[in-house]
Amino acid sequence: MPTLTKLYTMQEASQHNTKDDCWIVIDGKVYDVTSYLDEHPGGDDVVLESTGKDATDDFEDAGHSKSAKELLQSFCIGELDTSSPIIPELEISSKREAVKYSEKLMDLTKQYWTIPVAIVGISVLVGFLYLHKK
């Protein structure tokens, strides 16, 4: 028989984003980690940066141990209500950031192509002028 848990929207979870009241969302579950912030080995700033969004990737990228994952379960207060819409502001800002990253990538690509092409062009020109003078 499934266990009944309290459902929270992402908007509700995102309102708990201070050192005195901190909730995070990982793998569709909502955790109240307020009491653990001072003990977190990476500092409370790392955790506070992950509030207001799905922190699953941040949690996995940090390479937490099995014991850390077990400890996290003790802070579970409910599950994320996936039937409710995502906070529109977060969705819009993430789309804007994706566009900015792709623009930055294109700019870097252009820079890395122009420098070698410029060097080759100057070398060909110098070689041509050197051979022409002989």
Side-chain angles (χ1 to χ4, degrees), residues 1-35:
M1 184 171 184
T3 306
L4 296 176
T5 60
K6 184 154 174 58
L7 294 178
Y8 297 97
T9 64
M10 184 59 89
Q11 187 173 11
E12 286 176 302
S14 67
Q15 293 172 352
H16 302 270
N17 58 3
T18 65
K19 188 172 177 154
D20 297 324
D21 184 23
C22 182
W23 292 8
I24 57 173
V25 177
I26 299 173
D27 286 329
K29 294 185 178 181
V30 180
Y31 301 92
D32 182 353
V33 294
T34 308
S35 62

Side-chain angles (χ1 to χ4, degrees), residues 50-75:
S50 298
T51 61
K53 63 178 183 173
D54 186 336
T56 304
D57 291 338
D58 294 340
F59 185 79
E60 294 299 326
D61 290 345
H64 286 94
S65 66
K66 184 178 178 182
S67 61
K69 292 175 183 179
E70 290 171 358
L71 177 63
L72 180 66
Q73 296 309 313
S74 67
F75 297 107

Side-chain angles (χ1 to χ4, degrees), residues 83-97:
S83 65
S84 66
I86 297 174
I87 302 171
E89 294 81 14
L90 292 178
E91 189 174 314
I92 291 168
S93 68
S94 66
K95 287 181 182 177
R96 286 185 190 149
E97 289 175 10

